[in-house]
Amino acid sequence: MPTALVSGITGQDGSYLAEFLLKKGYRVLGMVRRSSTVTFGRIEHIQDQIEIIQGDLHDQGSLVSIMEEYRPDEVYNLAAQSFVPTSWNQPVLTGEVTALGVARMLEAIRLAHPKARFYQASSSEMFGKVREVPQKESTPFYPRSPYGVAKVYGHWITVNYRESHDLYACSGILFNHESPRRGLEFVTRKITHGVARIKLGLADELRLGNLDSRRDWGFAGDYVEAMWLMLQQDTPDDYVVCTGETHEVREFCEAAFSHVGLDYRDYVVQDPRFYRPAEVDLLVGDPAHAKNKLGWVPRVSLAELVQMMVDADLQYLGREVL
Ligand code: NDP
Ligand code: GDR
């Protein structure tokens, strides 16, 4: 039975990846940081099948101890300060966790267990003010937020450890992926949750920022398979993972509201509080490398994703209303 260590297991992707690995027969170790309240909502349903161990990307010693004690075959580094707006308010913390945290994890592997295969959760936010359309593995980076800058460091330190220390280390450059488990502050979930609240009579408006920006949105459940595939190859490499389609935030609103028979223009209010100091206007990836080398293709369409998320929020909030 292979062993996988997942940092960020309490997050959206961590929960889907843990489910996926359990189905494949892995022993799954979930690294969590200590907090005063329980943050296991997304993994409650599989908690008895995974082993929770304490560790923090701020703390080098904890990572080395984990590698020495558990000697995982695969390490998926999903932990990060992942919300872009927070990175302007907390740029140093974002750098500590999202950038240097990657170096600490790689150092722990290099020092204690260099045979482990390593996956780094890189991001399309590294492309930022895009240099070409669509974006692929060779597209130069131009990050537009402290988060994007931190992810660029995480990407290059992963490449550097592969080239300097001969580690099996991969950087997955994933475009936005969503699900009913997405955090409430990210725009897709904010919209589907807002639609459900309005439909159930709990709210009468939804305040958003820039409706013109365009994203390449996929389903998180599909994307975790690509992470795993990257670690099953003969040689390590970097991959863009995306759908190849791009849509405006406005179109996502339109689809979500119309799924419950409403017109978004009657409810959405644009609020300058949600505009960003620097925006990423357009993201659309080229998934050819992942398709050709990994055989990976996304399964869930955007229309299906929107419906899945709205229905889940209606069900979730509906239970609370009753
Ligand atoms: P989430 O924000 O849902 O989850 C982040 C996870 O990181 C949580 O489990 C959180 O733990 C953990 N974490 C934060 N700080 C630390 C720390 N100091 N030590 C240990 N754990 C920590 O993110 P997603 O699941 O959406 O994303 C997973 C990864 O993929 C992130 O690195 C993100 O930047 C990246 N990414 C995400 C994309 C997306 O569209 N979702 C696209 C491209 C990249 P806690 O529960 O305690 O807060
Ligand atoms: P993003 O996701 O910044 O792409 O990062 P988010 O959903 O936060 O924003 C997407 C776009 O929507 C616009 N927007 C709003 N965004 C939020 N959060 N709230 C609003 O009210 C709102 N109104 C409009 C934003 O301006 C932006 O253009 C996500 C994260 O998961 C990162 O960790 C990950 O690396 C990238 O996706 C790929």
Side-chain angles (χ1 to χ4, degrees), residues 109-259:
I109 291 174
R110 183 183 74 81
L111 291 168
H113 185 44
K115 277 202 184 120
R117 293 188 167 204
F118 177 77
Y119 171 84
Q120 166 57 16
S122 293
S123 164
S124 52
E125 283 294 296
M126 303 191 300
F127 296 124
K129 192 169 177 178
V130 297
R131 305 285 90 188
E132 65 178 334
V133 179
Q135 296 86 52
K136 50 184 188 281
E137 291 76 9
S138 57
T139 302
F141 300 135
Y142 193 142
R144 294 273 279 172
S145 62
Y147 169 83
V149 172
K151 282 289 180 186
V152 171
Y153 177 90
H155 170 83
W156 284 119
I157 200 73
T158 300
V159 173
N160 183 262
Y161 268 60
R162 179 168 76 219
E163 295 176 354
S164 311
H165 303 298
D166 206 22
L167 297 189
Y168 188 109
C170 299
S171 171
I173 306 174
L174 271 54
F175 283 59
N176 299 53
H177 44 277
E178 319 295 315
S179 74
R181 297 184 201 162
R182 189 54 142 154
L184 280 169
E185 71 270 62
F186 298 91
V187 78
T188 55
R189 182 77 198 287
K190 187 173 168 183
I191 294 168
T192 61
H193 192 258
V195 164
R197 281 174 58 79
I198 290 168
K199 186 68 183 173
L200 294 168
L202 300 169
D204 52 16
E205 65 172 26
L206 174 61
R207 291 188 167 265
L208 296 172
N210 180 10
L211 302 184
D212 299 324
S213 61
R214 304 179 73 95
R215 289 289 183 278
D216 179 332
W217 282 296
F219 171 52
D222 288 344
Y223 284 40
V224 296
E225 185 183 5
M227 299 175 186
W228 175 77
L229 283 167
M230 285 178 215
L231 298 198
Q232 313 311 314
Q233 306 303 307
D234 292 337
T235 48
D237 201 353
D238 307 320
Y239 297 87
V240 158
V241 177
C242 59
T243 69
E245 274 183 35
T246 188
H247 297 274
E248 282 180 2
V249 172
R250 181 178 286 99
E251 290 174 66
F252 195 103
C253 285
E254 213 169 349
F257 277 90
S258 70
H259 182 55

Side-chain angles (χ1 to χ4, degrees), residues 8 25-26 98 100 160 181 271 300:
Y26 278 72
T98 305
L100 283 177
N160 183 262
R181 297 184 201 162
D271 186 333
V300 176

